[in-house]
Amino acid sequence: MKDFSIAMALVDYVPVLFFAAAALILQGDLYNKMCKGTYALFAAGSINVAVAGLLKATYKLLYAAGICDFTPLNDMFFPVQSIGFLLAGAGVLLMLVRKVNGGSCCCAVAAPVVWKGTFLFVGLMVAGLGCMDFGLSVLAARLKKKPAVILLVISFVCSLCMGYLSSQDFTQSFMNWLAQGINVVGQGTLFAAVFLLHKAGLKEMTWEK
């Protein structure tokens, strides 16, 4: 038996909403800075992450409400989210590479390798999020928004904590509340950083400035 409650499941939607809002803002602001292939990577990746979180929260709600134990919603969380972060991070990183290379766009992506095991998925998630946060930090520095850089660092540290907690026993209520609290802070600071960049003119920013 898993110690889930309806309140816990509802709180799990909060970081999902934070991330989805941040992703939508970024998709609008970075559209004119990415080639089609790079933008497709970022958009697909960020959508994957949001969908994975939404399905996981829905799984908890269904379980807590006593409706059903729909395990596929829970089992697909790490694969979908980790690949999503990897694609989103690759998109932001390729955007920076394209700028450094004078506008050339190389968006070819190798066929995905099949992996098994939670640790490997956590590694992919951290690597992808690290690339995304690094790229956004570069943009924040360019826009002279140091608070955004600090918020991105906090968000990344929270994600590292989530990676560690993923190896713990999540059948306990305490571990779920702890993970959800850290996730709310992580996605909340990501949203705050993205909002600051948006207000600072990220959408209008050009590489020539």
Side-chain angles (χ1 to χ4, degrees):
M1 289 289 293
K2 297 172 183 176
D3 193 7
F4 295 157
S5 66
I6 293 179
M8 179 190 298
L10 293 176
V11 170
D12 218 25
Y13 283 101
V14 175
V16 176
L17 293 176
F18 275 140
F19 181 86
L24 285 174
I25 293 174
L26 286 175
Q27 287 174 17
D29 288 356
L30 300 181
Y31 180 78
N32 60 350
K33 299 169 182 59
M34 295 179 171
C35 67
K36 291 182 179 179
T38 300
Y39 184 79
L41 283 177
F42 177 74
S46 56
I47 290 172
N48 269 16
V49 173
V51 169
L54 180 65
L55 294 180
K56 179 66 175 289
T58 301
Y59 165 76
K60 287 185 177 181
L61 184 60
L62 292 173
Y63 189 98
I67 298 174
C68 64
D69 185 3
F70 195 2
T71 56
L73 296 181
N74 185 49
D75 295 341
M76 68 189 299
F77 174 71
F78 268 119
V80 174
Q81 187 181 72
S82 58
I83 291 174
F85 272 123
L86 188 64
L87 292 177
V92 174
L93 205 57
L94 285 173
M95 174 190 69
L96 297 179
V97 171
R98 179 193 177 199
K99 183 261 177 180
V100 171
N101 290 338
S104 60
C105 185
C106 179
C107 300
V109 179
V113 180
V114 178
W115 280 321
K116 293 184 179 181
T118 299
F119 179 77
L120 292 175
F121 286 124
V122 171
L124 287 175
M125 180 183 72
V126 171
L129 186 59
C131 289
M132 188 172 77
D133 285 343
F134 171 75
L136 293 177
S137 295
V138 171
L139 296 177
R142 188 175 179 83
L143 291 171
K144 296 180 173 59
K145 282 293 177 180
K146 291 182 179 179
V149 176
I150 295 173
L151 289 170
L152 288 167
V153 171
I154 294 173
S155 178
F156 184 66
V157 170
C158 287
S159 297
L160 292 179
C161 292
M162 287 296 295
Y164 167 74
L165 290 175
S166 66
S167 63
Q168 306 304 304
D169 183 7
F170 268 76
T171 60
Q172 301 176 20
S173 177
F174 169 74
M175 291 302 299
N176 276 277
W177 278 114
L178 177 61
Q180 286 182 186
I182 293 174
N183 201 21
V184 168
V185 173
Q187 301 307 326
T189 50
L190 174 63
F191 171 74
V194 169
F195 185 76
L196 285 177
L197 295 179
H198 177 70
K199 298 296 289 186
L202 177 60
K203 188 172 185 177
E204 295 76 22
M205 189 197 83
T206 63
W207 297 122
E208 287 70 29
K209 285 185 179 181

